[in-house]
Amino acid sequence: METVKGFIDHIIYRNKDNGYTVLNLLTQEDNELTCVGFFKTMDQGETIEAQGEYTQHQIYGKQFKIEQYKILPPSDEVSMERYLSSGAVKGVGEALARRIIQAFGAETYRIIEEEPERLAEVKGISQRKAREIAASLYEKRDARDAMTFLQGYGISNTLALRIYETYGMGLYGVMRENPYRLAEDIQGIGFRIADEIAAKIGIHTDSDYRIRSGLLYTLQQAGGEGHCYLPAERLLAEAGTLLGIEPSLMEPQLQNLAMDKKLVIKTVPAGESMAPSDSTASVRECRVYASTFYYAELNCARMLHDLNVSEKFLPAEEEALLRKIDQLEADLGIVLDSLQKRSVLESIKNGVFILSGGPGTGKTTTINAIIRYFLSQGMEISLAAPTGRAAKRMTEATGYESRTIHRLLELSGTASLEGKAARFERNEENPLEADVIIVDEMSMVDIFLFQSLLKAVPVGTRLIMVGDVNQLPSVGPGQVLSDLIKSGAFQTVVLEKIFRQAKESDIVLNAHRIHAGEDPILDNKSRDFFFLERNDVNVIYKHMIQLILEKLPRYVDATPYDIQVLTPMRKGKLGVETLNGILQRYLNPPDDKKRECQTGDTLFREGDKVMQIKNNYQLAWEVVSRYNIPIDQGMGIFNGDIGVIRTIDEYAREVVVEFDEHRRVTYPYSGLDEIELAYAVTIHKSQGSEYPAVIMPLLTGPHMLFNRNLLYTGVTRAKACVTILGSRATLSEMVKNNRENHRYTGFLDQLRAMKFG
């Protein structure tokens, strides 16, 4: 890295949110230099010494990109006058700065710091103003010293700023005593960053703080894999590998974390339900939850128990209900089979009802019949789904407005750290005003979103949950729909009959064959299900691009952007990361008219198809008219949302992405780690979506990942056409492999405890 030293003549641009700054620096050689970087504490008039690299911007020319810097106190009368005249010190302008320098000369800086009352000797400065000038200088000095201190441990400007804004001058105590607090208190600083900082400070590897933080981090990572708890034996083993510490040394910290209410440790006696335990049984025989996970499961079970109020009907009353359902059939011009009729009846009789079934089994027809019945009774109905795409599909299928669960609950935009629920305006104190709530695609709902939904459903409101239990479980922690059905605690109907119209689709028929453990029909005589045997990766690339650009858009009447590549994995030659680079090259090639930006290993380009990869409840979005006037706005973009990059502003270092329903979001360059290219996405991330055509490359991959459940989910994402490229043997092995990735959840036990307790 190179070093420059100079005086900040003026700030050209500053993003108030992320601190990205463009400034003009007068160097010691009196040359002007444009510098860029992230810093909120650096102001006009200050002298800095900065390390970084020279870069050549294609529009703005030569720039110096600052990586580290320190603010230097003024060293002579000229620099002191220049500093005071700049407006950096509140209440001091050019004329007053000149009088101060004339009065104190080279002693000016020392006097302001050590004898600020003497400033009152200068004409125009009262004792009060003297104190204000000194206080302004102290504040800047404190920030400067704190940033310099943090940078001494290799902490970047961006992180140093976040630490200073969080703790103020208390950061010294945090850094000295327990730097692992950073991982708990500051979003964007995880255990690994905190651990690196702690090592530089000299915290011992077997420090209690380090062990506690490592255990919490291991549980947090497990939550990212869908688990709500870990067996203590596995938790200690994984945390031991992470920390390089013997598991036996960590056991006491499990109990300490439990005493601090950060963990819940549960023993599970055979045949008994779970309850918080102070048992003296070996901790290694227990389940260990992060507290938020345990209480989310417990709260959901309790709230469902309260909602599950069943109405008792006399035989004559039930007969009358069945006649009303017959009339509904006549009004709608449909014929319901026995299970569909039973579904409508059970939805009327029970406070909580679950409807499941595979593709083509009539879930939509059944939902429509349920909606029409309750509307005929003058009831208020709300429809919802976990994602924007799923909600849109529900609206199109029913003719009634469906919203995302987040919009139904009126998301407020509060931060959501790992394991903490977002704040919704609709909750137990301000419940939803509906008589019936129907939620589709329940397999996608994780335990935290479910908890937030249930809090807003008052007792007396019917909750109807719809989903295909054979789909992959939610991206977030838990397997809510599966546990609900397995518990036997709620009336559930699983539709089985494939209707005539659905039988005309080989997508539907092959999906059911896959679910039954039978190989799909691959004779290519189908109109919507094709298999191309290709055993060379480069040949798969070639045919994939041909299909997307030439063949499928005409065949399914869609654009190349609507054709979705789905793959089981992220890594490898047919993983998301490699495929996106290749597909970007052909679907959105470089163009002088398209601006680009690089973040990590990913190049983003205007026009790119991208996906949000984590829930962010603080991201603001707006919908604008063709005259660029905002007509709607809100908060929150969620894991799996897909959009297109509309603009890249290299000067402001911002990227604008337009998601479904024309929602536009502005990302600073520093926030681009929340999106990734989406020409290819994992099958898991495709849940709740439906595409005109799906291409699935299946050649080789991990046995645990290449399973029946994953294949079934991928196939059922296609509306009009599925094309599989790869190995017939691999496809057959996936059908035979019925091993689903096991998730550790206690929700099923909680539900059973409520039912039988």
Side-chain angles (χ1 to χ4, degrees), residues 78-95:
V78 174
S79 61
M80 189 67 205
E81 183 175 351
R82 194 159 51 180
Y83 174 63
L84 292 174
S85 301
S86 70
V89 177
K90 186 178 178 181
V92 178
E94 288 186 21

Side-chain angles (χ1 to χ4, degrees), residues 179-304:
Y180 293 97
R181 273 187 59 189
L182 302 177
E184 296 180 39
D185 298 341
I186 302 175
Q187 194 168 11
I189 298 183
F191 169 79
R192 294 189 183 278
I193 293 175
D195 202 34
E196 288 176 9
I197 293 169
K200 291 173 182 174
I201 289 174
I203 302 292
H204 289 196
T205 56
D206 60 352
S207 153
D208 289 351
Y209 292 128
R210 182 169 186 263
I211 293 172
R212 287 157 64 98
S213 185
L215 289 165
L216 291 172
Y217 174 76
T218 303
L219 281 175
Q220 181 189 69
Q221 293 300 102
E225 296 171 6
H227 303 299
C228 290
Y229 73 86
L230 283 180
E233 192 78 39
R234 176 169 169 175
L235 171 60
L236 291 169
E238 291 186 5
T241 301
L242 171 73
L243 300 171
I245 295 174
E246 282 295 315
S248 59
L249 298 176
M250 296 186 287
E251 285 188 33
Q253 295 308 324
L254 286 179
Q255 299 292 356
N256 289 338
L257 284 166
M259 289 175 65
D260 289 344
K261 310 292 187 188
K262 292 185 177 180
L263 296 182
V264 173
I265 301 173
K266 310 267 298 164
T267 56
V268 192
E272 293 184 21
S273 62
M274 297 191 303
S277 173
D278 59 356
S279 168
T280 56
S282 167
V283 74
R284 298 199 183 203
E285 299 171 13
C286 300
R287 299 174 176 182
V288 183
Y289 294 79
S291 294
T292 49
F293 286 75
Y294 173 75
Y295 287 107
E297 290 187 337
L298 178 63
N299 291 339
C300 285
R302 285 176 175 168
M303 289 185 285
L304 282 168

Side-chain angles (χ1 to χ4, degrees), residues 16-29:
K16 293 181 180 179
D17 294 326
N18 62 19
Y20 177 75
T21 304
V22 181
L23 59 86
N24 189 60
L25 190 74
L26 291 179
T27 67
Q28 289 177 310
E29 297 77 23

Side-chain angles (χ1 to χ4, degrees), residues 115-372:
E115 303 176 77
E117 68 280 357
R118 289 192 57 192
L119 289 172
E121 298 172 13
V122 177
K123 183 181 178 182
I125 299 180
S126 63
Q127 285 289 347
R128 179 181 175 183
K129 186 158 190 167
R131 288 193 296 271
E132 288 175 353
I133 292 171
S136 178
L137 196 66
Y138 292 156
E139 183 182 343
K140 291 182 179 297
R141 183 190 65 187
D142 288 344
R144 179 190 71 212
D145 291 347
M147 297 293 282
T148 301
F149 170 77
L150 292 170
Q151 288 165 6
Y153 290 106
I155 300 172
S156 69
N157 294 330
T158 308
L159 286 184
L161 183 61
R162 270 191 248 167
I163 293 169
Y164 179 70
E165 289 179 338
T166 301
Y167 301 116
M169 297 310 289
L171 68 88
Y172 297 102
V174 171
M175 295 291 287
R176 183 172 56 252
E177 295 168 14
N178 179 17
Y180 293 97
R181 273 187 59 189
L182 302 177
E184 296 180 39
D185 298 341
I186 302 175
Q187 194 168 11
I189 298 183
F191 169 79
R192 294 189 183 278
I193 293 175
D195 202 34
E196 288 176 9
I197 293 169
K200 291 173 182 174
I201 289 174
I203 302 292
H204 289 196
T205 56
D206 60 352
S207 153
D208 289 351
Y209 292 128
R210 182 169 186 263
I211 293 172
R212 287 157 64 98
S213 185
L215 289 165
L216 291 172
Y217 174 76
T218 303
L219 281 175
Q220 181 189 69
Q221 293 300 102
E225 296 171 6
H227 303 299
C228 290
Y229 73 86
L230 283 180
E233 192 78 39
R234 176 169 169 175
L235 171 60
L236 291 169
E238 291 186 5
T241 301
L242 171 73
L243 300 171
I245 295 174
E246 282 295 315
S248 59
L249 298 176
M250 296 186 287
E251 285 188 33
Q253 295 308 324
L254 286 179
Q255 299 292 356
N256 289 338
L257 284 166
M259 289 175 65
D260 289 344
K261 310 292 187 188
K262 292 185 177 180
L263 296 182
V264 173
I265 301 173
K266 310 267 298 164
T267 56
V268 192
E272 293 184 21
S273 62
M274 297 191 303
S277 173
D278 59 356
S279 168
T280 56
S282 167
V283 74
R284 298 199 183 203
E285 299 171 13
C286 300
R287 299 174 176 182
V288 183
Y289 294 79
S291 294
T292 49
F293 286 75
Y294 173 75
Y295 287 107
E297 290 187 337
L298 178 63
N299 291 339
C300 285
R302 285 176 175 168
M303 289 185 285
L304 282 168
H305 180 267
D306 292 343
L307 286 174
N308 194 27
V309 179
S310 299
E311 291 188 47
K312 303 297 182 183
F313 289 90
L314 297 172
E317 293 173 320
E318 193 159 311
E319 282 297 321
L321 281 178
L322 289 171
R323 286 195 297 273
K324 286 183 180 179
I325 295 171
D326 291 339
Q327 185 60 49
L328 271 178
E329 290 180 272
D331 294 343
L332 292 170
I334 60 174
V335 177
L336 301 175
D337 73 4
S338 59
L339 284 177
Q340 289 177 306
K341 284 187 178 180
R342 185 184 152 213
S343 298
V344 179
L345 187 63
E346 297 295 352
S347 71
I348 297 167
K349 293 165 64 177
N350 294 281
V352 176
F353 172 66
I354 302 166
L355 175 65
S356 188
T361 55
K363 292 194 299 293
T364 299
T365 301
T366 308
I367 294 170
N368 278 325
I370 290 170
I371 291 171
R372 286 294 294 268

